[in-house]
Amino acid sequence: MRLKVPFIIFIFCFETYLFAAEAGMPQLDAKYWLSQSFWLILIFFILYLALSRFFIPKIKNNLDDREKKIKDNLNEAKTFSELAEKKNLDYENQILNAKKEVVKIITESKKQLDKSINQKKQQFEIEIEKEVEKAEEEILNLKKNSLGSIHNIAEEISAKVIENITGEKLNESSIKASVAEISKKKIDKYL
Amino acid sequence: MAANPMHQFQVYRIGPEIKLGNFDLSFTNASLFMLISAISICLFLYFGSKQKNIIPGRLQLVAELFYNFIAKMISDTAGSKAKPYFPFIFTLFMFVLICNMIGMLPYSFTVTSHIIVTLVMAMFIFIAVTIIGFLKHGLKYLSIFVPKGVPVVLLPLITIIEIISYLSRPVSLSVRLFANMMAGHTMLKVFGSFVISLGLLGGWLPLSFSVALTGLEILVAFLQAYVFAILTCIYLNDALNLHH
């Protein structure tokens, strides 16, 4: 710019010498000034009309449309993300509830199990007691029964022993009496 | 023809002579390139706004980039009150930019390198801004020449300076654009003719200059369009928001 100003001044000075000459500035030749102004105003006016009526609104529309579309899309994305967050929260709540329920169910079933186990245990204990009593009774009976057979066996054995030792048969009744006597004395120790 | 660097700015008639009374309104090469620029803008914006993709294509992206660029520039410099003037400033920016850019093509004509063209645009802006100012604020708009917080002693001087600077707005606005475009293209032409005259041996240096200058000129073409538009916004801001 600074370089150009002296240059312009030079051209202007040059012009004063050679005004309207071929070597001068055609810009200062007034011959076509009116024509240039006329065509400039005409063309510029038409261009202005075309741009302001047609092209500028179109570009503005395009820009507005784009902005609106982007805004809409962003809003949509926002609502969707909110929805997703909500769903996620619901899902987490559901899981939490389910976990609570599971714990509840587990404790309940444990209680029930304990209860039933206790019941069964008691039942079994009662039954076992019964069985034990029965068995004791049986044992007692057996003991009682065995007393008689012990007498018999003792008599037989003693008869045989005496027979073998003496070679004579003893009287059964005497053997019985002696065995009974002995067993009366001693048998109480074992029974 | 190529020897004269100013020859590229020559305006000549194309087609029949159109006369309106005493006024010559013939269609010239300048008119032709104005028309080409306007049609290019329309085509560019047509294809740039044709599809309605969420992810814009290349042309659509560039068109929307320009739109947002100008919209941001206006809201930054002149505020929300300047919104109704958006189409005008957008048209102005696009027209100046495309005229400058098309001027960069070889054998083309740079519409904005003519003082009359830039002056007409600048005068239109100047008059329009002044009318808007008076319509919005009435005679209070004259207070634009009286800055706040200035000592009373200096006030007459400052006011005169303000009036001069206000009146010189269209001149500075138009000369800035015209001079930049003309100087750039003249320089390009001068270096171009150096390439020819120095030949195969010595022509490489001016050629490299020419290449560098072309890049610079494309930057200047964009920059001047931007400056033209942003200064319009600033003038508009003065008219809309008095003593902001």
Side-chain angles (χ1 to χ4, degrees):
Chain A
M1 188 66 199
R2 273 182 195 170
L3 268 172
K4 281 173 183 173
V5 172
F7 185 76
I8 301 303
I9 292 165
F10 165 75
I11 296 284
F12 269 101
C13 295
F14 203 55
E15 181 63 26
T16 51
Y17 283 109
L18 297 162
F19 193 68
E22 167 70 10
M25 282 173 72
Q27 285 95 335
L28 297 180
D29 181 5
K31 192 185 169 194
Y32 287 113
W33 278 9
L34 209 65
S35 148
Q36 272 173 299
S37 316
F38 168 73
W39 286 103
L40 171 71
I41 290 164
L42 185 73
I43 290 168
F44 192 87
F45 184 67
I46 291 167
L47 184 69
Y48 171 73
L49 280 186
L51 258 61
S52 61
R53 287 283 151 86
F54 186 62
F55 294 117
I56 288 172
K58 217 171 161 191
I59 292 176
K60 194 172 157 42
N61 258 356
N62 281 359
L63 286 171
D64 288 352
D65 276 3
R66 177 176 313 146
E67 206 169 310
K68 208 184 149 227
K69 225 170 200 177
I70 288 170
K71 220 180 236 172
D72 283 357
N73 282 357
L74 278 180
N75 279 344
E76 214 173 308
K78 212 178 179 185
T79 50
F80 272 133
S81 81
E82 269 168 18
L83 205 75
E85 229 163 76
K86 223 178 180 180
K87 286 253 161 106
N88 197 24
L89 214 74
D90 275 0
Y91 163 77
E92 270 171 15
N93 274 345
Q94 273 179 359
I95 283 187
L96 216 72
N97 284 345
K99 270 183 185 169
K100 270 183 193 166
E101 225 162 288
V102 163
V103 169
K104 219 173 165 184
I105 288 169
I106 285 174
T107 47
E108 246 170 54
S109 55
K110 227 178 191 177
K111 260 185 199 168
Q112 270 188 343
L113 263 175
D114 279 351
K115 219 175 167 183
S116 61
I117 283 170
N118 276 344
Q119 271 182 354
K120 286 259 163 92
K121 231 180 183 177
Q122 275 176 356
Q123 268 183 358
F124 271 120
E125 269 170 13
I126 289 166
E127 261 174 54
I128 284 166
E129 254 172 56
K130 268 183 191 169
E131 290 280 319
V132 166
E133 264 172 37
K134 233 182 178 175
E136 272 176 359
E137 228 169 85
E138 259 173 45
I139 287 166
L140 218 69
N141 279 345
L142 274 177
K143 270 181 181 171
K144 272 179 188 167
N145 289 343
S146 64
L147 265 182
S149 42
I150 286 169
H151 277 262
N152 285 344
I153 291 162
E155 277 168 17
E156 265 172 45
I157 289 169
S158 43
K160 283 244 171 107
V161 167
I162 290 166
E163 210 181 292
N164 277 352
I165 294 168
T166 58
E168 264 181 71
K169 264 200 181 176
L170 264 179
N171 193 0
E172 261 183 42
S173 55
S174 58
I175 291 169
K176 241 181 199 173
S178 57
V179 165
E181 211 174 315
I182 295 162
S183 59
K184 252 182 195 170
K185 276 181 192 167
K186 304 242 173 159
I187 202 122
D188 288 339
K189 276 182 192 173
Y190 306 102
L191 289 178
Chain B
M1 171 203 155
N4 187 352
M6 302 309 282
H7 187 269
Q8 57 175 324
F9 303 118
Q10 199 72 51
V11 179
Y12 48 86
R13 188 159 48 82
I14 297 171
E17 196 173 50
I18 303 167
K19 281 230 171 192
L20 210 76
N22 267 339
F23 306 118
D24 184 6
L25 298 178
S26 306
F27 193 78
T28 60
N29 56 341
S31 325
L32 177 69
F33 276 94
M34 285 174 200
L35 204 61
I36 289 172
S37 304
I39 289 167
S40 314
I41 292 165
C42 287
L43 282 177
F44 163 61
L45 290 180
Y46 173 72
F47 287 110
S49 60
K50 200 172 140 197
Q51 290 146 319
K52 279 192 165 187
N53 298 334
I54 288 295
I55 298 161
R58 282 173 210 168
L59 262 181
Q60 193 185 349
L61 187 72
V62 176
E64 279 162 11
L65 214 66
F66 274 128
Y67 182 97
N68 284 331
F69 177 67
I70 300 297
K72 193 173 182 299
M73 185 179 81
I74 291 172
S75 66
D76 281 355
T77 51
S80 56
K81 276 188 196 169
K83 241 178 183 173
Y85 307 102
F86 173 78
F88 175 74
I89 290 165
F90 186 72
T91 312
L92 191 73
F93 173 77
M94 290 307 287
F95 185 71
V96 174
L97 177 69
I98 300 298
C99 284
N100 291 352
M101 286 300 180
I102 283 183
M104 285 308 296
L105 295 173
Y107 296 106
S108 68
F109 179 86
T110 316
V111 177
T112 44
S113 69
H114 273 252
I115 181 74
I116 185 65
V117 173
T118 57
L119 191 67
V120 165
M121 289 196 284
M123 280 310 286
F124 177 79
I125 291 160
F126 174 73
I127 292 166
V129 161
T130 309
I131 289 170
I132 289 165
F134 277 114
L135 280 180
K136 286 255 167 184
H137 306 287
L139 283 178
K140 255 175 97 181
Y141 185 57
L142 289 173
S143 69
I144 195 173
F145 302 124
V146 190
K148 271 179 190 168
V150 176
V152 185
V153 188
L154 283 174
L155 211 53
L157 186 69
I158 294 288
T159 306
I160 289 167
I161 291 172
E162 284 287 329
I163 290 170
I164 291 170
S165 83
Y166 187 81
L167 292 178
S168 67
R169 273 176 180 182
V171 181
S172 68
L173 193 60
S174 60
V175 169
R176 183 181 297 110
L177 177 59
F178 142 73
N180 268 287
M181 297 325 293
M182 189 194 68
H185 283 81
T186 312
M187 272 203 282
L188 274 177
K189 196 81 175 181
V190 168
F191 278 104
S193 56
F194 279 168
V195 178
I196 302 297
S197 56
L198 290 178
L200 208 59
L201 278 176
W204 296 101
L205 192 65
L207 182 66
S208 58
F209 266 114
S210 230
V211 170
L213 271 177
T214 306
L216 180 73
E217 281 310 309
I218 287 170
L219 175 73
V220 167
F222 179 82
L223 200 69
Q224 287 307 318
Y226 175 65
V227 166
F228 204 89
I230 204 165
L231 280 174
T232 308
C233 287
I234 288 166
Y235 297 159
L236 202 61
N237 180 42
D238 284 345
L240 292 172
N241 314 307
L242 201 58
H243 288 310
H244 39 85

